[in-house]
Each structure stands twice: as C-alpha cells, then as structure tokens.
Amino acid sequence: MIDPFGRRISYLRVSVTDRCDLRCVYCMAEDMTFLPKAEILTLEELDRLCGAFIGLGVDRIRLTGGEPLVRKNVLSLVRSLGARIGAGGLHELTLTTNGTQLVRMAGDLHAAGVRRINVSLDTLDPATFAAVTRWGKIEPTLDGIFAAKAAGLAVKINAVAMKGVNEDEFDRMVAWCGEHGFDLCLIETMPLGEITGDRNDQYLPLSTVRSKLRERWTLQETDYTTGGPARYFTVAETGGRIGFITPLTHNFCESCNRVRVTCTGTLYMCLGQDDSADLRGPLRNQDLDREGLQQAILEAISRKPKGHDFVIDRVRNRPAVSRHMSVTGG
Ligand code: SAM
Ligand code: SF4
C-alpha cells in the first residue's frame, strides 16, 4: 500500500474500545458519553479487518483505545492476531495500555506473541497520578508494569509532558526508567477533542524539557527508530533510551507509515485531520468479499493527506480536531 506521497503504509493502529477505566485530563472529558454497543465492531470483525490490512502489506499492528485491556475478551483478538505473526504476514503485534490490567494479563499477552508494550505513566507521584487520571490509583499501574517486565515484555513508558503538572519529574523518571530497563518516551499534548480546561495551560514544548534534562543527563543522538515519530537519544549515564514526540514543534509527517482504525470501523488516514472512511459498512456487507473490503481500504489510502495541521487555537481555544484521542487511538 503506497499513498499519494510515496509513503508505504505498513503500520495499523486499532482502537478496540473507546472506553477506559481512567479519565486522563488531556484525553477525556470527565463525563464522557461512550458509544452504543451496536456501533462497535465485534472482536471477530476486528480480526477480519486486521486480516484485510495484513493482506495489503500491513506488517505491524498496535492495539490501543480507550483502554484496550478493559474490552471484554480482548485476549481472544490478541491470540488470533498473534497467530498471524510470522508466516501469517504480521511482523509485530504491540499494545498501548494504561497498565491497570497488566497484573492479570501480562503473561497471556506474552504467550499470545506480544513482545513489546507501551504503558502510559505521566508521573511517579501518587497524588499527581490521581489528579491527572481524575480518580486513578498509581499502584495497579506500577504493579502492572513490573508484571509485564517479569513476563518478558519490553516496556516503554509514555509520558505526556504537562506544564505545572509533571515538568519537575522528568529527571526522576529518566533515573527510574534507566534503573528498571524501560525506554521512556515524552509526548507533547496534542489538541484533540474537547476537554475540561484550557489546553494552552497544559502545553509544554519538549524543546524546553530536553534542554533542562541536558543539565543533568548526557543525551547522545541515535538513529534508533521504532518506525514511529519519536526521536530517540541514549542517556549515557543509564544506558537507557529516551524519545521525544513533538507533533506541534516538529513536523513528523514526511515519514508517516501509519493509519488508524476506530472500534466502529472508521479509518482515519491522519491523526491530525478529519477525513475518514467507513469500513464497517463494507465489513458487514454480506455481498462484499475480502477483496471488496480491501478496495475500500485502498480507496481511503489514496486520500491520505500529506500532513496534519495541529495548532492549539489560541483565539477560540478549540481543539484542532474535535475527536478525542481515545476515539482515534493514541
Ligand atoms: N489507554 C491507553 C493508554 O493510556 O496508554 C491507550 C490509549 S491512550 C489514548 C494512548 C496514548 O495517547 C497515551 O499515551 C496518552 O497519554 C496519549 N494521549 C491521549 N490524549 C492525548 C493528547 N491530547 N495529547 C497527547 N497525547 C495524548
Ligand atoms: Fe484512558 Fe489512556 Fe485516555 Fe488515559 S490516555 S483516559 S488511560 S484512554
């Protein structure tokens, strides 16, 4: 699958649910209305949809959400996708999670073929964690992270950088990740979805964070990449890796190899644009075979835009894109 700008689309992110057991302030409003069940693809439909993408050359799939591990029976999807790793055409199956369910699920994920996961953890401070997630407790996530490590999963910690919230914690997080062998990836807040409060208050440019980190740590440039938008450095003192995702201050679109599908089967060709394609119709259309579904996918890929135009609208304080990250999948 090659898009109009010559980029090979080989990476699919699948949001398996819009629901979550937390309410992170940058991600969701406190009183979210979730989708009715009839609109949500079944796990079997999600598997069939992923199969169609794999048939078109997608070789990496990341399950996300919402919180992917709160979807009932999600392990059956993980297992059926895991069975496609190798000869089935899939190179890698990964997951982004808030970690709350990992204590009971990490072993099963590994057994199904998952080898790397991203866990979102913005802070190591219990009170800040409770404030950012609106009601979460930090212990299940921390226990989950160590359960994942014990199960043999490589863990990358994702932290959203927020002004006045966790900006003084990054030294501690670099040290903690280095100590436990986790990669760390810092993310700028993106203007996605209506939330409570003002995004301008939260926005912290990572260029500032990086300069501050350099006062204590030696950050060595690397050409390491996971195929994503993060720019990685090695922390000389710990040997760990730290990545920076800077959607607002740096354009990462030239090498974009990914598309995203929501749990309702809507395909978004760009995280920062509204154009989409409905794949649930083709999926549920009895008259359409796998090829028909693949035609719908290819038609959508031919509309993949060159890049996003994220900007926090400082005049009207509106998000650039109205859907939440929990809908599109982070
Ligand atoms: N619930 C899972 C989790 O938290 O990892 C998976 C879904 S979550 C939407 C995926 C990632 O998106 C998380 O790392 C989260 O911090 C990030 N995210 C959510 N809203 C964001 C925003 N407005 N700007 C930047 N990152 C955001
Ligand atoms: Fe839930 Fe993840 Fe969004 Fe936090 S970032 S509210 S954990 S979906």
Side-chain angles (χ1 to χ4, degrees), residues 1 26 32 46 92 145 161 165 232 269 273 275 292 330:
M1 260 190 307
Y26 46 76
M32 293 288 285
L46 282 168
E92 189 179 42
I145 289 169
V165 178
Y232 281 95
M269 287 72 85
Q273 299 277 359
D275 192 23

Side-chain angles (χ1 to χ4, degrees), residues 20 22-24 26-28 66-67 98 326:
C20 187
L22 302 177
R23 290 288 181 281
C24 303
Y26 46 76
C27 179
M28 293 194 181
E67 174 45 44
N98 64 24
S326 54

Side-chain angles (χ1 to χ4, degrees), residues 13 225-231 244-246 250 252 255 258:
R13 292 170 88 103
T225 172
T226 56
R231 206 167 135 217
F244 297 87
I245 301 186
T246 55
H250 171 79
F252 56 49
S255 58
R258 61 196 55 201

Side-chain angles (χ1 to χ4, degrees), residues 184-204:
L184 174 63
C185 196
L186 302 181
I187 310 172
E188 270 172 6
T189 52
M190 299 179 223
L192 298 174
E194 296 286 351
I195 54 163
T196 327
D198 186 344
R199 282 194 193 274
N200 291 313
D201 290 349
Q202 295 177 349
Y203 180 62
L204 174 65

